Amino acid sequence: MRRSMFAAVAAAAVLILSVPSAATAAAAVFVEMNPSTVRPGDEVGLRASCTDNLNPATVEAEPWGSIQVKPSFGFLTATTRVARSTKAGDYRVTLRCPDKSSATAVLHVVARIEPAQGPATGGGGTAPGRQAPLMIGGGAGAIVAGIALAVYAARRRRLG
């Protein structure tokens, strides 16, 4: 009984695994960017996959035009640069495979903003105005008072 049950389960598993589904074939074609959010002038790494990754394919997008992705480690890869004149917005990236299949993704281009100055984190002191000499004098006075109390306590123990 156990052998026949095992044989039936094994046969069903072989049958299920050997039949390619439409979902697996559709998922095999994709294009992705790394990073997918860039500023004008930045580099973008492209990684794509067609049904057959042995032949080069074409990736088209407005920020860089048309570029060829070539086989590398089981995927189709390339590196490109977003044109400095590209305006902020979302751009469609389209992969065109040799077998006429295609895939799309979205590249997000954000505005290139350079800060005019660094963040306002203070000038090294937290007290407003010219109170730094008072704070230094007060700290030095507290240290001197502490030393004087320590000497007084040590002398008092010896005498008594």
Side-chain angles (χ1 to χ4, degrees), residues 41-110:
D42 286 354
E43 280 192 350
V44 177
L46 300 171
R47 187 174 86 146
S49 180
C50 292
T51 308
D52 173 22
N53 287 337
L54 299 176
N55 298 312
T58 304
V59 175
E60 298 171 354
E62 186 179 330
W64 60 73
S66 179
I67 187 169
Q68 193 174 51
V69 286
K70 297 180 180 176
S72 176
F73 300 107
F75 292 102
L76 302 171
T77 61
T79 302
T80 187
R81 187 173 298 278
V82 175
R84 284 200 174 271
S85 60
T86 304
K87 295 185 179 176
D90 295 340
Y91 295 91
R92 180 181 297 270
V93 177
T94 304
L95 167 70
R96 300 201 190 286
C97 298
D99 64 353
K100 305 294 184 222
S101 60
S102 65
T104 60
V106 176
L107 177 71
H108 308 284
V109 178
V110 295

